Amino acid sequence: MDNRSIQQATTPMTMIQALRSAMDVMLERDDKVVIFGQDVGYFGGVFRCTEGLQAKYGKTRVFDAPISEGGIVGAAVGMGAYGLRPVVEIQFADYFYPATDQIVSEAARLRYRSAGEFIAPLTIRMPCGGGIYGGQTHSQSPEALFTHVTGLRTVMPSNPYDAKGLLIAAIECDDPVIFLEPKRLYNGPFDGHHDQPVVPWSKHPLGNVPDGYYTVPLESASVFRPGSDLTVLTYGTMVFVAEVAARESGIDAEIIDLRSLWPLDLDTIVASVRKTGRCVVVHEATQTSGFGAELATLIQEHCFYHLEAPIERVAGWDTPYPHAHEWAYFPSPARLAGAFRKTMDGSLAAEPSKSAGQGREA
Amino acid sequence: MRQALPLRLHVPEPSGRPGHATDFSYLRLAPAGAVRKPPVDTSAADTADLAYTLVRVLDDEGKAVGPWADPIAPELLRKGLQIMIKTRIYDARMLIAQRQKKMSFYMQSLGEEAIGAAQMLALSPGDMCFPSYRQQNLLIAQDVPLTEMMCQLFSNESDRLKGRQLPVMYSMRERGFFSISGNLATQFVQAVGWAMASAIQGDTKIASAWIGDGATAAADFQTALTFAHVYRAPVILNVINNQWAISTFQALAGGESTTFAARGIGSGIASLRVDGNDFLAVYAASRWAVERARNNLGPTLIEWVSYRAGPHSTSDDPSKYRPADDWARFPLGDPIDRLKRHLIALGAWSEDEHHRTQKEYEAEVIAAQKQAESHGTLATGKTSSVATMFEDVYKDMPWHLRRQRQQLGV
């Protein structure tokens, strides 16, 4: 599946280096690939993701853009209509909003409304997620705003190997792809234990990245940790939080890293939940109308007769992302472990109705 | 201590409303031939004066005068007149078809026929136009079979857009006509991106962007100017100032005491303000802008001063917000009448030929409509298969759309 059969030399890479390597590979392979965004050219990006690419490929292939998200995406749509394959960057996912019209009304619908005459084969990279004291506008996880849009593909890697393979697949894909990069994972995996030192990717097996071309197919989830007690549906930073929560709770959770949020790999998800009979959905984004609601609905539709407990959701609280209260907001290993326990303990018959009724009595 | 007067909010109003006439003195007109023609490699700053005046070629007698009066072959002018006549007849006929409920909606371009017609004749095959919804003449100028356009209007089984788009939202890639979107101004910056792509690839094609006066207030207008200027994109940025955005007078879009061409100057783009009802001026200014773009001299912004003679759309009644006789009083007249008089004066046209041409196009439009209707109309329900509704959302249909298609039973 992942082209791992192709033997090639690997190098330890951070997620930043892996993303850069993906863009390097695609700039080399396809002269229609162009990269632009704020500070991505000469400077190499505020997160170093495009470092050295302008020097290597020239400034007509990799260049700086004005601070205008609508302009960046709108120009990319025009380039896609011409026949280029633009890879553009929005500096923080929190700042995509000015480009919403171009993303939703244009990029996502161009193929449909022109019956395939014009397409928008763009990749829009956006660093996302919290856990870095980023406050309100450097921490958001807006994936649900994209998964709701017909015509878009939304992707989020959790490690360097997947980051490179998914980004190459996204660039090659003829559909517009929203490529969300959890910046908390740029330099190393993060399990939510903010009081412990960060381990670099060089110490993690998924930090070993092939030097050349390979892809991780879109619409393919990975079973990140096999288990038999319950299924965790998650992506991005929460994959590692779920992993440590499984270890610390002693619950044998099967952790599914969705990788492609929408369209997603339904078969892998359904097979897991039908096996375990229990499901916890985890994401950093706020809960109400978050992507977890869609996941929970899909499980309910496809696994109802296999479920032995209600589907649990662990998500960011329904508040803007706070600064000082970062670790009370960020879904912690302890919160996840609590949800795992509740899912294991609770059964549909034994679920007390008290808490469920409280809201309605008010 | 000085007593401050209470502040007052200024809300612009048109001078004319139903029942009393418009005062068109706000238009900043200039006599034909009075405005200079700069070299194509002029700097943006050196066009500042041109952004506040009006390039005109045809005078009141129909004579071509002044520095913009390029020698133009009479054959090209005849072609221009024919495009304009055909566009107007097409519009009139489609308006009736809408009233007959053969389609849900239509938008005429009455009074604005010269602008797209002349610019299309100045462009080359391979160039790409990014139109708004009132540039049907860009297609008619290329002799696109009218049946094909009508099939889109009727959303019938031969509609190349498979009934997905509202009428008039054409898309014809092979004609250099980008897919029209209902979201205003979005295409203006896309045109700049397309032009940038052409430059990145070392191509020789240029882009032509289109927007109305009202939509210049949208963010993408300013964004397009910034990107076009920053990257010196080979693009013509056309602003059609027809004075009205549905019921809203152009002053409310920011036109009061200034011009839309002036926006270009502030953004570092060479800019012109041109009589949009003067076919010769439109052609000359378009050619000037094409030459600039084609020679890597950068973008050009052109404000075309015209008048939206018809209702905004078939859903609009202009008598509720402007004088009924407004177009008749508009100082720049009717583009068809003006070119017709010029060509008759040249001896290259006649009243008789005009009459015959009209009859010929009426017959052509009627025949095309008959043929288009044989493929169905909205009223007959003869459309593309419902199953096609799920196609082209993505390149390949994902599982959830296959499932939804099955749920619909198609």
Side-chain angles (χ1 to χ4, degrees):
Chain A
M1 278 290 275
D2 294 9
N3 303 353
R4 282 184 213 231
S5 56
I6 302 163
Q7 293 300 313
Q8 51 174 288
T10 62
T11 303
M13 295 186 199
T14 64
M15 190 184 281
I16 291 167
Q17 291 164 331
L19 293 164
R20 184 193 308 146
S21 177
M23 289 184 268
D24 193 357
V25 165
M26 290 311 295
L27 282 162
E28 180 79 48
R29 276 173 78 93
D30 185 352
D31 76 347
K32 301 286 193 287
V33 171
V34 292
I35 291 174
F36 63 103
Q38 290 161 36
D39 303 301
V40 309
Y42 182 85
F43 180 58
V46 294
F47 292 108
R48 318 314 300 154
C49 290
T50 53
E51 190 172 29
L53 296 179
Q54 185 178 77
K56 188 170 175 184
Y57 295 98
K59 62 181 190 178
T60 62
R61 301 284 306 283
V62 181
F63 51 92
D64 290 309
I67 303 175
S68 170
E69 290 79 9
I72 290 167
V73 177
V77 171
M79 290 180 189
Y82 176 92
L84 298 190
R85 205 165 274 277
V87 183
V88 298
E89 180 182 300
I90 303 291
Q91 204 158 72
F92 287 88
D94 314 63
Y95 300 135
F96 91 83
Y97 306 103
T100 306
D101 197 20
Q102 288 289 346
I103 293 173
V104 177
S105 312
E106 302 293 319
R109 296 192 199 149
L110 186 54
R111 177 189 294 275
Y112 189 74
R113 75 171 198 237
S114 71
E117 280 193 359
F118 295 94
I119 64 170
L122 2 158
T123 304
I124 307 176
R125 295 180 40 242
M126 301 182 197
C128 70
I132 56 148
Y133 281 105
Q136 292 191 23
T137 58
H138 298 80
S139 306
Q140 294 171 35
S141 297
E143 63 269 17
L145 296 170
F146 301 115
T147 55
H148 186 58
V149 178
T150 58
L152 292 182
R153 290 180 180 274
T154 303
V155 173
M156 193 190 300
S158 69
N159 60 77
Y161 181 89
D162 285 353
K164 179 171 174 180
L166 285 169
L167 182 53
I168 290 175
I171 295 170
E172 287 188 323
C173 179
D174 285 339
D175 300 322
V177 179
I178 304 294
F179 197 87
L180 293 160
E181 303 167 2
K183 55 191 168 298
R184 179 70 238 202
L185 300 179
Y186 268 165
N187 289 303
F190 178 69
D191 62 13
H193 285 304
H194 53 96
D195 45 352
Q196 293 170 12
V198 174
V199 181
W201 278 116
S202 57
K203 301 274 198 288
H204 197 284
L206 289 167
N208 242 356
V209 178
D211 294 328
Y213 171 90
Y214 70 97
T215 60
V216 171
L218 304 182
E219 288 184 61
S220 75
S222 86
V223 180
F224 190 81
R225 179 196 189 280
S228 56
D229 287 346
L230 58 81
T231 297
V232 181
L233 300 181
T234 191
Y235 46 90
T237 309
M238 285 300 140
V239 169
F240 297 96
V241 181
E243 188 183 37
V244 76
R247 194 164 65 235
E248 290 171 3
S249 65
I251 291 168
D252 187 22
E254 178 149 292
I255 300 170
I256 308 282
D257 179 356
L258 298 179
R259 302 198 291 201
S260 285
L261 307 195
W262 198 262
L264 51 59
D265 175 0
L266 186 66
D267 293 345
T268 300
I269 295 168
V270 168
S272 176
V273 178
R274 286 186 179 173
K275 180 182 77 177
T276 63
R278 292 178 160 85
C279 182
V280 180
V281 174
V282 181
H283 56 58
E284 280 185 68
T286 50
Q287 177 160 305
T288 302
S289 296
F291 186 55
E294 185 62 42
L295 291 172
T297 304
L298 284 171
I299 295 307
Q300 188 274 134
E301 286 170 351
H302 294 273
C303 309
F304 185 77
Y305 295 107
H306 294 77
L307 285 176
E308 293 168 41
I311 302 161
E312 279 293 314
R313 278 191 287 173
V314 184
W317 308 120
D318 284 340
T319 69
Y321 205 109
H323 184 247
H325 305 303
E326 173 103 71
W327 303 117
Y329 180 92
F330 186 92
S332 63
R335 265 185 74 200
L336 267 64
F340 293 177
R341 278 188 217 102
K342 186 179 171 200
T343 305
M344 294 311 294
D345 297 346
S347 72
L348 289 168
E351 180 72 11
S353 60
K354 197 182 77 183
S355 62
Q358 271 172 356
R360 284 180 217 120
E361 286 160 20
Chain B
M1 213 168 79
R2 189 174 153 267
Q3 184 88 32
L5 294 169
L7 297 168
R8 281 181 307 175
L9 182 71
H10 174 65
V11 181
E13 277 289 330
S15 57
R17 284 296 192 188
H20 60 271
T22 299
D23 173 4
F24 284 107
S25 63
Y26 72 89
L27 277 174
R28 292 173 184 267
L29 303 180
V35 174
R36 71 189 178 91
K37 182 179 186 181
V40 289
D41 61 353
T42 187
S43 74
D46 285 344
T47 62
D49 58 320
L50 303 174
Y52 290 96
T53 181
L54 197 67
V55 172
R56 303 176 70 190
V57 171
L58 290 175
D59 67 13
D60 292 346
E61 277 73 54
K63 281 210 287 286
V65 295
W68 290 88
D70 295 342
I72 303 175
E75 225 10 76
L76 188 139
L77 296 177
R78 285 168 52 91
K79 172 76 182 164
L81 187 59
Q82 288 159 355
I83 296 164
M84 291 197 285
I85 294 169
K86 198 197 266 194
T87 302
R88 188 168 292 183
I89 289 170
Y90 174 79
D91 277 350
R93 195 79 204 176
M94 293 305 98
L95 185 68
I96 294 166
Q98 191 278 337
R99 296 303 188 216
Q100 294 169 336
K101 298 185 175 13
K102 288 169 179 168
M103 62 179 108
S104 64
F105 180 76
Y106 192 70
M107 302 180 100
Q108 302 176 82
S109 60
L110 185 66
E112 302 172 37
E113 294 93 345
I115 307 163
Q119 184 155 119
M120 183 45 81
L121 295 178
L123 291 167
S124 298
D127 296 339
M128 184 65 73
C129 292
F130 288 75
S132 78
Y133 44 68
R134 224 183 289 280
Q135 274 79 55
Q136 48 266 54
N137 52 2
L138 294 173
L139 294 173
I140 291 170
Q142 299 180 75
D143 296 319
V144 169
L146 298 178
T147 300
E148 201 172 339
M149 295 171 67
M150 291 173 186
C151 286
Q152 195 281 325
L153 299 177
F154 294 152
S155 292
N156 64 22
E157 62 182 10
S158 294
D159 171 12
R160 62 153 75 192
L161 305 183
K162 303 178 185 177
R164 292 175 189 157
Q165 277 271 53
L166 204 63
V168 314
M169 306 274 177
Y170 309 105
S171 176
M172 290 196 192
R173 187 187 175 97
E174 78 282 8
R175 302 286 186 168
F177 190 96
F178 183 71
S179 157
I180 295 175
S181 167
N183 294 64
L184 295 179
T186 51
Q187 79 286 354
F188 218 56
V189 65
Q190 291 163 2
V192 175
W194 194 95
M196 289 169 68
S198 184
I200 287 168
Q201 292 281 291
D203 205 341
T204 58
K205 297 167 189 157
I206 65 170
S208 163
W210 297 84
I211 201 167
D213 47 283
T216 63
D220 281 339
F221 173 70
Q222 193 57 56
T223 301
L225 267 54
T226 301
F227 276 61
H229 167 65
V230 167
Y231 300 108
R232 270 188 225 165
V235 60
I236 306 172
L237 300 161
N238 297 286
V239 180
I240 297 194
N241 179 1
N242 66 18
Q243 318 306 320
W244 292 95
I246 310 186
S247 73
T248 308
F249 181 55
Q250 60 100 31
L252 212 95
E256 195 170 68
S257 310
T258 186
T259 70
F260 296 99
R263 308 284 206 280
I265 306 298
S267 299
I269 295 171
S271 302
L272 303 173
R273 192 165 178 271
V274 181
D275 180 346
N277 292 358
D278 176 346
F279 183 91
L280 277 71
V282 179
Y283 183 72
S286 292
R287 240 186 12 183
W288 187 82
V290 166
E291 202 181 336
R292 284 175 47 77
R294 196 90 68 196
N295 288 294
N296 270 313
L297 296 168
T300 305
L301 185 144
I302 308 176
E303 175 185 349
W304 306 104
V305 179
S306 185
Y307 186 85
R308 194 196 77 212
H312 165 71
S313 72
T314 49
S315 307
D316 176 47
D317 176 7
S319 72
K320 297 282 196 288
Y321 53 81
R322 70 180 188 189
D325 64 344
D326 224 24
W327 189 33
R329 301 167 54 86
F330 181 67
L332 301 178
D334 174 347
I336 292 181
D337 284 350
R338 288 174 66 191
L339 182 57
K340 174 187 163 193
R341 285 209 293 156
H342 175 68
L343 275 175
I344 288 174
L346 285 183
W349 196 254
S350 66
E351 287 290 355
D352 185 47
E353 187 166 11
H354 196 86
H355 187 70
R356 268 191 286 118
T357 303
Q358 281 178 322
K359 289 281 162 220
E360 198 179 297
Y361 288 148
E362 270 162 24
E364 182 183 332
V365 171
I366 288 166
Q369 185 178 347
K370 202 172 169 193
Q371 199 189 338
E373 284 186 30
S374 75
H375 300 287
T377 66
L378 198 65
T380 65
K382 211 160 121 187
T383 62
S384 59
S385 150
V386 175
T388 64
M389 179 167 75
F390 298 94
E391 293 167 2
D392 298 324
V393 180
Y394 298 89
K395 183 181 185 187
D396 302 310
M397 196 179 296
W399 63 267
H400 68 288
L401 287 175
R402 286 199 305 273
R403 180 164 307 194
Q404 289 172 19
R405 189 182 63 187
Q406 286 156 9
Q407 284 172 351
L408 190 58
V410 290

